């Protein structure tokens, strides 16, 4: 369990450090975060349809620059991603204790709810794009 916690902490640290470095790069280069693309979306490249995670990078960069409404438009789950990453990096024991105190079935229900919310939001976005 400790090794798994350390892997989550390392992943969260890498994510936050990368986000800060990308923010610094954008600030120094003078580019707008809307024009920066680090990794192309394979799903969108193959299907020409944005995936449920499309906009996450731009949303996280918008949060970093304090443009919260723009971030919400790109992908509202970016707030959850950054919040959980900060919690895991700065309070790993607390996060592990609280998550571990929840039964496995409840953990699966919580994760399933977030997946369904993400897919529901994606379907709403697709409806807005195509209809």
């Amino acid at each position: 369990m400790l090794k798994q916690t350390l892997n989550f902490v390392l992943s969260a640290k890498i994510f936050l450090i990368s986000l800060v470095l990308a923010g610094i790069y954008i600030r120094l280069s003078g580019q707008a975060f809307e024009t920066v693309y680090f990794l192309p979306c394979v799903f969108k490249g193959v299907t020409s349809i944005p995936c449920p995670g499309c906009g996450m990078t731009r949303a996280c960069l918008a949060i970093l620059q304090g443009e919260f409404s723009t971030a919400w438009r790109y992908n509202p789950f970016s707030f959850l991603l950054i919040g959980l990453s900060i919690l895991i990096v700065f309070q790993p024991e607390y996060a592990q204790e609280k998550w571990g105190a929840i039964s496995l079935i409840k953990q699966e229900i919580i994760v399933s709810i977030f997946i369904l919310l993400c897919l529901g939001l994606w379907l709403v976005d697709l409806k807005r794009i195509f209809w």
Side-chain angles (χ1 to χ4, degrees), residues 89-117:
V89 167
F90 293 106
Q91 294 292 324
E93 297 86 14
Y94 176 80
Q96 180 65 32
E97 175 188 325
K98 292 300 180 185
W99 185 249
I102 302 171
S103 70
L104 185 60
I105 293 174
K106 287 183 180 177
Q107 288 178 359
E108 290 174 354
I109 291 170
I110 291 168
V111 170
S112 297
I113 288 170
F114 280 114
I115 290 171
L116 289 173
L117 285 172

Side-chain angles (χ1 to χ4, degrees), residues 24-33 35:
I24 292 170
Y25 166 75
I26 289 169
R27 184 62 68 189
L28 293 178
S29 70
Q31 285 184 297
F33 60 86
T35 62

Side-chain angles (χ1 to χ4, degrees), residues 48-111:
S48 298
I49 299 171
C51 75
C54 276
M56 187 66 77
T57 303
R58 288 173 288 164
C60 289
L61 291 170
I63 290 171
L64 190 65
Q65 296 192 8
E67 298 188 25
F68 303 116
S69 62
T70 303
W72 186 265
R73 263 193 336 270
Y74 281 133
N75 197 320
F77 288 98
S78 58
F79 292 94
L80 179 66
L81 178 65
I82 289 178
L84 286 175
S85 296
I86 290 170
L87 177 68
I88 290 170
V89 167
F90 293 106
Q91 294 292 324
E93 297 86 14
Y94 176 80
Q96 180 65 32
E97 175 188 325
K98 292 300 180 185
W99 185 249
I102 302 171
S103 70
L104 185 60
I105 293 174
K106 287 183 180 177
Q107 288 178 359
E108 290 174 354
I109 291 170
I110 291 168
V111 170

Side-chain angles (χ1 to χ4, degrees), residues 17-39:
I17 290 169
S18 300
L19 186 62
V20 169
L21 290 175
I24 292 170
Y25 166 75
I26 289 169
R27 184 62 68 189
L28 293 178
S29 70
Q31 285 184 297
F33 60 86
E34 299 93 352
T35 62
V36 176
Y37 295 96
F38 293 102
L39 295 173

